[in-house]
Amino acid sequence: MARVSLPITTDRLVLRSFRPGDEDDVFAYRSVASVVRYIPGEPKTREQVEDLVSERATAGRIDEQHPNLTLAVELDGRVIGDVLLLLAGPDGADGKQAEIGWVFAPDVAGNGYATEAARAITDVAFREVGVHRVWAELEPENTASARVCERLGMRREAVFVKGSWFKERWTDLAIYALLEDEWPTSAATSAPAP
């Protein structure tokens, strides 16, 4: 079992467990259709956001029985997004591969926060959880997320044409990935806060 040291700090951000009081910030971006366009599910209701915050309030442990780690991304006291680390592989959970994902408030787009948070969670996946491979899947038309993957040093391994039934339509699916031995030791931009 891996226990991730929380909070994770970067130059500008804090990645931490959700906590009571985060609901307004999370609802502000998780309820927007354009924000959730490329992630599973529909825009969240207030009640669904309250459930999400409550369920994720004890994050830190990640293992095959608890394969999902979703952390709030805080900037200057405001939750501006969240990141996902999911122990899995394209062939099922094996504890040696992890999928990463992210979602951010639209008013903070273009400032590098998604890349900074994704870099921190990728570093945690390799250094603390001990996975062999980190990957992300996205629609190729999601160019902002494709750029995040590229900034992390991920390669595009495949594009499955109309390979995903997503939100009531067939969509293309791109897979980006990075191996542990490709992750630079200098990439450690995050460290647990004291």
Side-chain angles (χ1 to χ4, degrees), residues 63-120:
D63 56 34
E64 291 181 16
Q65 285 73 44
H66 305 90
N68 180 337
L69 179 66
T70 303
L71 300 176
V73 179
E74 181 182 301
L75 172 69
D76 298 328
R78 174 186 163 208
V79 176
I80 60 167
D82 51 85
V83 292
L84 164 77
L85 178 63
L86 177 64
L87 282 183
D91 56 351
D94 61 9
K96 294 297 180 186
Q97 298 185 69
E99 179 181 2
I100 61 170
W102 47 85
V103 59
F104 281 82
D107 67 311
V108 300
N111 291 296
Y113 299 130
T115 300
E116 191 171 326
R119 183 173 286 119

Side-chain angles (χ1 to χ4, degrees), residues 33-191:
S34 63
V35 172
V36 300
R37 163 67 187 93
Y38 295 112
I39 63 174
E42 297 302 318
K44 301 277 187 216
T45 65
R46 178 68 188 203
E47 183 177 342
Q48 290 169 324
V49 165
E50 289 170 0
D51 290 345
L52 182 144
V53 168
S54 176
E55 290 168 10
R56 303 292 190 244
T58 57
R61 184 172 70 181
I62 186 164
D63 56 34
E64 291 181 16
Q65 285 73 44
H66 305 90
N68 180 337
L69 179 66
T70 303
L71 300 176
V73 179
E74 181 182 301
L75 172 69
D76 298 328
R78 174 186 163 208
V79 176
I80 60 167
D82 51 85
V83 292
L84 164 77
L85 178 63
L86 177 64
L87 282 183
D91 56 351
D94 61 9
K96 294 297 180 186
Q97 298 185 69
E99 179 181 2
I100 61 170
W102 47 85
V103 59
F104 281 82
D107 67 311
V108 300
N111 291 296
Y113 299 130
T115 300
E116 191 171 326
R119 183 173 286 119
I121 201 70
T122 300
D123 198 63
V124 164
F126 287 133
R127 297 182 197 283
E128 291 192 44
V129 180
V131 300
H132 163 72
R133 179 174 178 266
V134 169
W135 60 284
E137 64 179 39
L138 51 114
E139 290 183 32
E141 66 188 46
N142 184 353
T143 57
S145 284
R147 285 192 302 271
V148 170
C149 292
E150 291 162 1
R151 285 186 205 108
L152 294 177
M154 293 179 152
R155 79 187 135 276
R156 189 166 79 174
E157 293 186 332
V159 175
F160 298 98
V161 177
K162 305 292 183 208
S164 176
W165 181 251
F166 187 71
K167 298 196 176 186
E168 303 301 315
R169 66 184 183 99
W170 287 106
T171 64
D172 295 348
L173 182 66
I175 305 294
Y176 287 79
L178 181 69
L179 299 176
E180 186 274 334
D181 61 4
E182 298 169 323
W183 187 244
T185 56
S186 62
T189 59
S190 60

